Amino acid sequence: YGMFVEDAFTHNLFFNPDSYENPIQFELVGILLGLAIYNSVILDVNFPKVLYLMLLGHKPTLEDLKEANPGLGNGLEKLLEFDGDVETTFCRNFEITYEVFGENKTIELKENGSNIPVTNGNRQEYVDLYVDYHLVKSVKQQYDAFAKGFHDVCHGEPLRLFRAEELELIICGSPTLDFEELEASTRYEDGYTESSNVIRWLWEIIHEMSMEDKKSLLMFATGTDRVPVRGLGHLRLTISKHGGDCDRLPSAHTCFNHLLIPEYSSKEKLKDKLLIAIKHSEGFGTL
């Protein structure tokens, strides 16, 4: 708890510069990400792209900060683009002040920074130092431990062949949910075929679902709402008949991406049972 902070706009997680956690905790998180790559496991994590750039040895820039923290990044960009007198308008010095546990904490971006005003002439230096502090220096201890854990598992020249976007894709999966691809690749067993009434109704219902319900369906059938790197067409979903018409809910073997559905008598009944199953599949929601 408190190891990461969440950006309110992007919901990305980044290291908490004021975390009291032992560095070994961050090292373990890095190991987990490395093991996810090694074992081809998709993780539900929301790190900004700049973290993957840093793991590949790149130095963060203002553009990276804008992607990770749009509010702060766009504010610094406006400072650079401002046409008027920066010193009298913004009244800033080479320092950062923020609140930690109810108290203000001030960090100088350079020696004697509290007494050096930001002007039109030195604002680029101020922005560069701000970006470097926010993404690198303030979280150096946390990031170094995290990177050590990651590189203990994933290291060497092969890693450098990836771009940051590709590294993120391998860890987090594809953001695109193409259920047309999933329908085309799904297999049917135990009496069901593509032309079975229940199967035709099922795909009609799925394609009409909201994105939230589609993710819930994926979670119910596979144990995760993340998409394989190559898309849903490579998920290998199997749907089997689970008896005749009855009041049982659909069930699933998540380890095998196997969905079991009774042969319901109507589309309305199928939709009702399916939505109950996917929305109340955790804990005691169906009791």
Side-chain angles (χ1 to χ4, degrees):
Y1 177 79
M3 294 174 64
F4 301 92
V5 290
E6 181 182 20
D7 181 76
F9 182 76
T10 65
H11 300 293
N12 284 329
L13 299 175
F14 200 64
F15 304 104
N16 182 357
D18 298 293
S19 172
Y20 288 109
E21 295 292 339
N22 192 294
I24 191 65
Q25 303 286 356
F26 292 95
E27 185 176 341
L28 288 173
V29 176
I31 291 173
L32 285 175
L33 258 69
L35 288 174
I37 294 177
Y38 186 81
N39 292 289
S40 300
V41 174
I42 302 299
L43 297 180
D44 185 8
V45 293
N46 295 311
F47 292 125
K49 187 175 71 174
V50 65
L51 178 61
Y52 302 104
L53 286 167
M54 292 166 67
L55 287 172
L56 295 173
H58 297 278
K59 183 179 179 180
T61 66
L62 177 58
E63 290 301 312
D64 299 322
L65 180 60
K66 286 169 58 181
E67 187 267 340
N69 189 329
L72 177 59
N74 290 330
L76 292 174
E77 185 175 60
K78 289 179 180 178
L79 174 65
L80 291 176
E81 297 173 346
F82 186 67
D83 290 331
D85 189 330
V86 169
E87 182 175 0
T88 58
T89 302
F90 290 91
C91 301
R92 292 196 178 194
N93 294 330
F94 274 71
E95 63 181 11
I96 297 175
T97 300
Y98 62 98
E99 186 177 305
V100 182
F101 301 117
E103 296 183 359
N104 287 333
K105 182 177 181 180
T106 299
I107 303 294
E108 291 188 331
L109 295 176
K110 60 188 299 186
E111 186 176 355
N112 198 34
S114 296
N115 298 314
I116 302 175
V118 178
T119 66
N120 292 66
N122 63 17
R123 58 183 170 180
Q124 183 64 61
E125 180 188 10
Y126 171 78
V127 170
D128 292 342
L129 290 173
Y130 203 124
V131 171
D132 183 60
Y133 177 79
H134 188 80
L135 295 177
V136 181
K137 290 182 178 178
S138 68
V139 296
K140 186 178 188 306
Q141 183 182 42
Q142 295 86 337
Y143 170 76
D144 285 350
F146 171 87
K148 178 182 182 302
F150 180 83
H151 289 295
D152 280 347
V153 181
C154 298
H155 57 84
E157 289 302 318
L159 184 64
R160 299 186 180 279
L161 297 176
F162 291 98
R163 294 182 294 113
E165 296 84 355
E166 294 168 335
L167 191 58
E168 181 180 15
L169 192 63
I170 292 173
I171 295 173
C172 302
S174 171
T176 303
L177 297 178
D178 190 339
F179 277 80
E180 299 286 350
E181 285 188 3
L182 182 60
E183 180 180 1
S185 65
T186 296
R187 298 177 298 179
Y188 306 99
E189 295 180 352
D190 301 323
Y192 278 151
T193 66
E194 290 184 25
S195 58
S196 299
N197 285 336
V198 169
I199 298 303
R200 290 190 294 103
W201 295 336
L202 175 66
W203 288 112
E204 289 173 7
I205 293 168
I206 291 174
H207 292 313
E208 294 170 356
M209 282 181 174
S210 66
M211 187 57 65
E212 182 180 354
D213 284 346
K214 288 180 178 178
K215 289 185 176 182
S216 296
L217 174 64
L218 278 181
M219 178 65 76
F220 177 76
T222 69
T224 177
D225 61 2
R226 314 301 289 184
V227 181
V229 174
R230 292 180 292 177
L232 285 178
H234 294 268
L235 189 61
R236 296 181 180 178
L237 179 68
T238 300
I239 300 177
S240 294
K241 183 189 294 186
H242 196 208
D245 185 33
C246 62
D247 290 328
R248 290 199 308 269
L249 298 175
S251 56
H253 300 307
T254 55
C255 293
F256 305 101
N257 301 336
H258 194 174
L259 189 59
L260 298 93
I261 303 178
E263 193 172 14
Y264 296 117
S265 57
S266 69
K267 180 179 177 180
E268 291 71 24
K269 186 173 183 178
L270 169 60
K271 182 176 182 179
D272 179 61
K273 298 296 184 183
L274 182 64
L275 290 177
I276 291 175
I278 66 175
K279 291 183 177 182
H280 302 279
S281 61
E282 297 181 9
F284 300 94
T286 56
L287 294 183

